[in-house]
Each structure stands twice: as structure tokens, then as C-alpha cells.
Amino acid sequence: MRSPPLDSRLRTPTPRTAVLAAAVLAVPSVLLLLLVAFSWRPLLALDGDIARTTHRWAVDEPGVTHVFRVLTDWVWDPWTMRALGALVVVRLVWRRSTWWPALCVAAACVLGTAVQQSLKAAVGRARPVWPDPVDSAHYAAFPSGHAMTATVVCGLLLWLLQLYGAGRALRRTALALAVISVVGVGLTRVWLGVHWASDVLGGWLLGALVVALAVVAHERRFGTVRG
């Protein structure tokens, strides 16, 4: 079955769905932030157990570790993801003249970066330290910038495909790639010993929250938007 072109009439989403999703995501996001900020001991203990186990694997499996470093430093790097988001914004504006969705995507990417860097500075969580590190990273640990940026960009792309009525095969392929990217980048950060597991979880939750807020912003103006 032929899928409708991207410049067809935008599909009308359900406003309450995005608002509910944002509200649901906000609760665990704030809760995890508080637990990390106040150094809740059970969480720190769990993070430590996971980190020690995965670091041992990383040291014992240098081949896998090398592959993960390539993926996290090049394929799933935040700047790679932001470049992908920028290309989507340019295409929306230049080829389709869809200013409002393009603005929502651009604003969400900027917001995600601002929230990420602000929380890193405010929480100031130290990264794991190892006597035999397999990788290194800068800035504070919480939340994971790699995990949050991948979630924001991949989530926005999936939303756009749904919004413009892309074919089922394309949406399923995109969903599979998005899941692999978002989950994969989070796992690589923990495996490489540069993030605690809760840093990655926080990145995922906050990234999904930013996407939900972008969808809410779009729906408030949807009645004036055409592809």
C-alpha cells in the first residue's frame, strides 16, 4: 500500500495523550533526580554493583570494548545526533515549508542540551573512577548526555514519521533503529565505565520528557499547521 507523501495534511494527534505522557514522565524524572542529588544509598549501591560488573567485562573483552567506543564516540555521539536533528529541521523548512514542526524539533533539541548541561552543573555527580579505565569522559555524570540526546532526537524523528503518515514499513524500521540506538548508547556508556546506570536512566527519562513537551507544544498550535 502506498504511503501518503510528507506534504499531505498532517495527522491530527490526540492532545490529551501527549499531556498525559509528559505528566507520567515528569514524576520518575524528578524522583530519580532527587535520589541522585541526595545520594540515596540503595541507589548508589546498585549503581556501584552494576558498574563494577560491567567494568570487569569491559577489561576482559577488549574487542567488544573497542566496538562500543567506536559506536559511542562516532555513531551515537551527541554531536552526531544533533547534526541529524539539524538536517531534519532544514529539510522541513526548505522542502516542506512546515515551520511549526521544524521549530518544535529545533526547540526540543536546544532545550534537551540546556537541561542536560544545567543538571550536570547543578547536581555535580562524579563519574566512576577506575585504576584501569577503558575510556574517559568530561563534565559531571548526571544525566548521561549521550543517552538523553539520542532519546530526544530519535523520539522526535519517530514522532515526525507518525505525524506525516509515513508507511508502516518505514515506521517499523525507524522504530527498530531508534530502539537500538537509544538502548545501545546507554549500554555503551555503562560498559565503558564513564557513567553510572542511573545516569543513563535519567537521560532516557528526561529525553523522553523533552519529546513529550515538544509534542504538547505542537498540538497547541496544530489547528494552524498544514504540511
Side-chain angles (χ1 to χ4, degrees):
M1 181 176 179
R2 185 180 180 183
S3 59
L6 289 181
D7 56 354
S8 60
R9 182 184 179 90
L10 298 180
R11 289 187 172 184
T12 304
T14 304
R16 292 183 179 179
T17 302
V19 173
L20 178 61
V24 169
L25 287 166
V27 174
S29 297
V30 172
L31 177 60
L32 181 60
L33 171 61
L34 292 175
L35 294 178
V36 170
F38 288 99
S39 301
W40 191 51
R41 289 187 177 181
L43 178 63
L44 299 184
L46 179 60
D47 276 340
D49 291 341
I50 294 173
R52 285 187 290 272
T53 299
T54 53
H55 180 66
R56 185 172 63 251
W57 293 344
V59 172
D60 293 341
E61 300 291 342
V64 175
T65 298
H66 176 71
V67 172
F68 282 1
R69 287 192 64 178
V70 172
L71 289 172
T72 197
D73 291 341
W74 296 98
V75 181
W76 296 325
D77 181 75
W79 286 108
T80 302
M81 288 292 170
R82 290 175 189 135
L84 177 59
L87 288 175
V88 171
V89 170
V90 170
R91 186 178 189 278
L92 286 172
V93 173
W94 182 40
R95 296 289 298 276
R96 304 297 172 187
S97 297
T98 46
W99 288 94
W100 188 246
L103 181 59
C104 287
V105 171
C109 290
V110 172
L111 175 62
T113 301
V115 169
Q116 169 201 140
Q117 296 300 325
S118 298
L119 288 178
K120 283 181 179 291
V123 176
R125 189 184 201 187
R127 293 179 184 267
V129 177
W130 309 105
D132 50 350
V134 298
D135 200 358
S136 62
H138 305 289
Y139 308 111
F142 185 89
S144 167
H146 281 69
M148 186 171 178
T149 304
T151 303
V152 170
V153 174
C154 290
L156 291 171
L157 293 180
L158 292 176
W159 167 62
L160 288 174
L161 290 175
Q162 177 67 29
L163 185 67
Y164 287 98
R168 181 178 298 178
L170 177 58
R171 284 188 283 115
R172 287 182 175 179
T173 301
L175 176 60
L177 291 175
V179 170
I180 291 172
S181 297
V182 172
V183 175
V185 73
L187 295 179
T188 62
R189 302 310 285 168
V190 176
W191 178 281
L192 295 173
V194 293
H195 272 295
W196 308 104
S198 57
D199 299 336
V200 171
L201 178 58
W204 285 339
L205 288 172
L206 290 167
L209 177 58
V210 169
V211 173
L213 292 175
V215 176
V216 171
H218 175 269
E219 290 174 356
R220 289 185 177 277
R221 284 282 305 273
F222 185 78
T224 64
V225 177
R226 293 294 184 272

Coordinates of all heavy atoms in Angstrom, one line a residue, residues 32 35-37 39-41 43-48 119-128 138-144 194-202:
L32 N 14.0 10.4 40.4 CA 15.4 10.0 40.2 C 16.4 11.1 40.4 O 17.4 10.9 41.0 CB 15.5 9.4 38.8 CG 16.9 8.8 38.4 CD1 17.3 7.7 39.4 CD2 16.9 8.3 37.0
L35 N 16.8 11.5 44.1 CA 17.6 10.4 44.7 C 19.0 10.5 44.4 O 19.9 10.3 45.3 CB 17.0 9.1 44.1 CG 15.6 8.7 44.5 CD1 15.2 7.4 43.9 CD2 15.5 8.6 46.0
V36 N 19.4 11.0 43.2 CA 20.8 11.1 42.8 C 21.4 12.3 43.6 O 22.5 12.3 44.1 CB 20.9 11.3 41.3 CG1 22.4 11.8 41.0 CG2 20.6 10.0 40.6
A37 N 20.6 13.4 43.6 CA 21.1 14.7 44.2 C 21.4 14.5 45.7 O 22.3 15.1 46.2 CB 20.1 15.8 44.0
S39 N 22.0 11.6 47.1 CA 22.9 10.4 47.3 C 22.2 9.3 48.1 O 22.7 8.8 49.1 CB 24.2 10.8 48.0 OG 24.9 11.8 47.3
W40 N 21.0 8.9 47.6 CA 20.3 7.8 48.2 C 21.1 6.5 48.2 O 21.5 6.0 47.2 CB 18.9 7.6 47.5 CG 18.0 6.7 48.3 CD1 17.6 6.8 49.6 CD2 17.3 5.6 47.7 NE1 16.7 5.9 49.9 CE2 16.5 5.1 48.8 CE3 17.2 5.0 46.5 CZ2 15.6 4.0 48.6 CZ3 16.4 3.9 46.3 CH2 15.6 3.4 47.3
R41 N 21.4 6.0 49.3 CA 22.4 4.9 49.4 C 22.0 3.6 48.7 O 22.9 3.0 48.0 CB 22.6 4.5 50.9 CG 23.4 5.6 51.7 CD 23.7 5.2 53.1 NE 24.6 6.2 53.8 CZ 25.0 6.0 55.0 NH1 24.7 4.9 55.7 NH2 25.7 7.0 55.5
L43 N 20.4 3.4 45.9 CA 20.7 3.6 44.5 C 22.2 3.6 44.2 O 22.6 3.1 43.2 CB 20.1 5.0 44.1 CG 20.3 5.4 42.7 CD1 19.6 4.5 41.7 CD2 19.8 6.8 42.4
L44 N 22.9 4.3 45.1 CA 24.4 4.3 44.9 C 25.0 2.9 45.0 O 25.9 2.6 44.2 CB 25.0 5.2 46.0 CG 24.6 6.6 46.1 CD1 25.4 7.4 47.1 CD2 24.8 7.3 44.7
A45 N 24.4 2.0 45.9 CA 24.9 0.7 46.0 C 24.6 -0.1 44.7 O 25.5 -0.9 44.2 CB 24.3 0.0 47.2
L46 N 23.4 0.1 44.2 CA 23.1 -0.6 42.9 C 23.9 -0.2 41.8 O 24.4 -1.0 41.0 CB 21.6 -0.4 42.6 CG 21.0 -1.1 41.4 CD1 21.2 -2.6 41.4 CD2 19.6 -0.7 41.1
D47 N 24.1 1.1 41.7 CA 25.0 1.7 40.6 C 26.4 1.1 40.7 O 27.0 0.8 39.7 CB 25.0 3.2 40.8 CG 23.9 3.9 40.1 OD1 23.2 3.3 39.2 OD2 23.6 5.1 40.4
G48 N 26.9 1.0 42.0 CA 28.2 0.5 42.1 C 28.4 -0.9 41.7 O 29.3 -1.3 41.1
L119 N 21.7 20.5 34.6 CA 21.6 19.5 35.6 C 23.0 18.9 36.0 O 23.3 18.6 37.1 CB 20.7 18.3 35.2 CG 19.2 18.7 35.2 CD1 18.3 17.5 34.7 CD2 18.7 19.1 36.6
K120 N 23.8 18.8 35.0 CA 25.2 18.3 35.3 C 25.9 19.3 36.2 O 26.5 18.9 37.2 CB 26.0 18.2 33.9 CG 25.7 17.0 33.1 CD 26.5 17.0 31.9 CE 26.3 15.7 31.0 NZ 26.7 14.5 31.6
A121 N 25.7 20.6 35.9 CA 26.4 21.6 36.8 C 25.7 21.6 38.2 O 26.4 21.8 39.2 CB 26.3 23.0 36.1
A122 N 24.4 21.5 38.2 CA 23.7 21.7 39.5 C 23.9 20.4 40.4 O 24.1 20.6 41.6 CB 22.2 21.8 39.2
V123 N 23.8 19.2 39.8 CA 24.0 18.0 40.6 C 25.5 17.7 40.9 O 25.8 17.4 42.0 CB 23.3 16.8 39.9 CG1 23.6 15.5 40.7 CG2 21.8 17.1 39.7
G124 N 26.3 17.9 39.9 CA 27.7 17.8 40.1 C 28.2 16.4 40.5 O 29.1 16.2 41.3
R125 N 27.5 15.4 40.0 CA 27.8 14.0 40.3 C 29.1 13.5 39.7 O 29.3 13.7 38.5 CB 26.7 13.1 39.9 CG 26.8 11.7 40.4 CD 25.7 10.8 39.8 NE 25.5 9.6 40.7 CZ 24.8 8.5 40.4 NH1 24.1 8.6 39.2 NH2 24.6 7.5 41.2
A126 N 30.0 12.9 40.5 CA 31.2 12.4 39.9 C 31.0 11.1 39.1 O 30.1 10.3 39.4 CB 32.2 12.1 41.1
R127 N 31.8 11.0 38.1 CA 31.8 9.8 37.3 C 32.6 8.6 38.0 O 33.3 8.9 38.9 CB 32.5 10.1 35.9 CG 31.7 11.0 35.0 CD 32.4 11.3 33.7 NE 31.7 12.3 32.9 CZ 30.8 12.0 32.0 NH1 30.5 10.7 31.8 NH2 30.3 12.9 31.3
P128 N 32.3 7.4 37.5 CA 33.1 6.3 38.1 C 34.6 6.5 37.9 O 35.0 7.0 36.8 CB 32.6 5.1 37.3 CG 31.2 5.5 36.8 CD 31.3 7.0 36.5
H138 N 34.3 13.8 30.1 CA 34.5 15.1 30.8 C 33.1 15.5 31.4 O 32.1 14.9 31.1 CB 35.0 16.1 29.9 CG 36.3 15.8 29.2 ND1 37.5 15.7 29.9 CD2 36.5 15.5 27.9 CE1 38.4 15.4 29.0 NE2 37.9 15.2 27.8
Y139 N 33.1 16.5 32.2 CA 31.9 17.1 32.8 C 31.4 16.1 33.9 O 31.8 15.0 34.0 CB 30.9 17.5 31.8 CG 31.4 18.4 30.7 CD1 31.6 17.9 29.4 CD2 31.9 19.6 31.0 CE1 32.1 18.7 28.4 CE2 32.4 20.5 30.0 CZ 32.5 20.0 28.7 OH 33.0 20.8 27.7
A140 N 30.3 16.5 34.5 CA 29.7 15.7 35.6 C 28.9 14.6 34.9 O 28.7 14.5 33.7 CB 28.8 16.6 36.4
A141 N 28.4 13.6 35.8 CA 27.9 12.4 35.3 C 26.4 12.4 35.0 O 25.9 11.9 34.0 CB 28.2 11.3 36.3
F142 N 25.6 13.1 35.8 CA 24.1 13.0 35.7 C 23.5 14.3 35.1 O 23.8 15.4 35.5 CB 23.5 12.8 37.1 CG 22.0 12.6 37.1 CD1 21.5 11.3 36.9 CD2 21.1 13.7 37.1 CE1 20.1 11.1 36.9 CE2 19.8 13.5 37.1 CZ 19.3 12.2 37.0
P143 N 22.7 14.1 34.1 CA 22.3 12.8 33.4 C 23.3 12.5 32.3 O 24.1 13.4 31.9 CB 20.9 13.1 32.8 CG 21.0 14.6 32.5 CD 21.9 15.2 33.6
S144 N 23.2 11.3 31.7 CA 24.0 11.0 30.6 C 23.6 11.8 29.3 O 22.5 11.7 28.9 CB 23.9 9.5 30.2 OG 24.4 9.2 29.0
V194 N 32.1 5.1 32.1 CA 32.1 6.6 32.2 C 30.7 7.1 32.8 O 30.6 8.3 33.0 CB 32.3 7.2 30.8 CG1 33.7 6.9 30.4 CG2 31.3 6.7 29.8
H195 N 29.8 6.2 33.0 CA 28.5 6.6 33.6 C 28.0 5.5 34.6 O 28.3 4.3 34.3 CB 27.5 6.8 32.5 CG 27.5 8.2 32.0 ND1 27.1 9.3 32.7 CD2 27.7 8.7 30.7 CE1 27.2 10.4 32.0 NE2 27.6 10.1 30.8
W196 N 27.3 6.0 35.6 CA 26.5 5.0 36.4 C 25.2 4.7 35.7 O 24.8 5.5 34.8 CB 26.2 5.7 37.7 CG 27.4 6.3 38.5 CD1 27.7 7.6 38.6 CD2 28.4 5.5 39.2 NE1 28.9 7.7 39.3 CE2 29.3 6.5 39.7 CE3 28.6 4.2 39.5 CZ2 30.4 6.1 40.5 CZ3 29.7 3.8 40.2 CH2 30.6 4.8 40.7
A197 N 24.6 3.6 36.0 CA 23.4 3.1 35.4 C 22.3 4.2 35.5 O 21.5 4.4 34.6 CB 23.0 1.8 35.9
S198 N 22.2 4.8 36.7 CA 21.1 5.8 36.9 C 21.3 7.0 36.1 O 20.4 7.8 35.8 CB 21.0 6.1 38.4 OG 22.3 6.6 38.9
D199 N 22.6 7.3 35.7 CA 22.8 8.5 34.8 C 22.1 8.2 33.5 O 21.5 9.1 32.9 CB 24.3 8.6 34.5 CG 25.1 8.9 35.8 OD1 24.5 9.5 36.8 OD2 26.3 8.7 35.8
V200 N 22.3 7.0 33.0 CA 21.7 6.6 31.7 C 20.1 6.6 31.8 O 19.4 7.1 30.9 CB 22.2 5.2 31.3 CG1 21.4 4.7 30.1 CG2 23.7 5.3 30.9
L201 N 19.6 6.0 32.9 CA 18.2 6.0 33.1 C 17.6 7.4 33.2 O 16.6 7.8 32.6 CB 17.8 5.3 34.4 CG 16.4 5.2 34.8 CD1 15.6 4.5 33.7 CD2 16.2 4.5 36.1
G202 N 18.4 8.3 33.9 CA 17.9 9.7 33.9 C 17.9 10.4 32.5 O 17.0 11.1 32.2

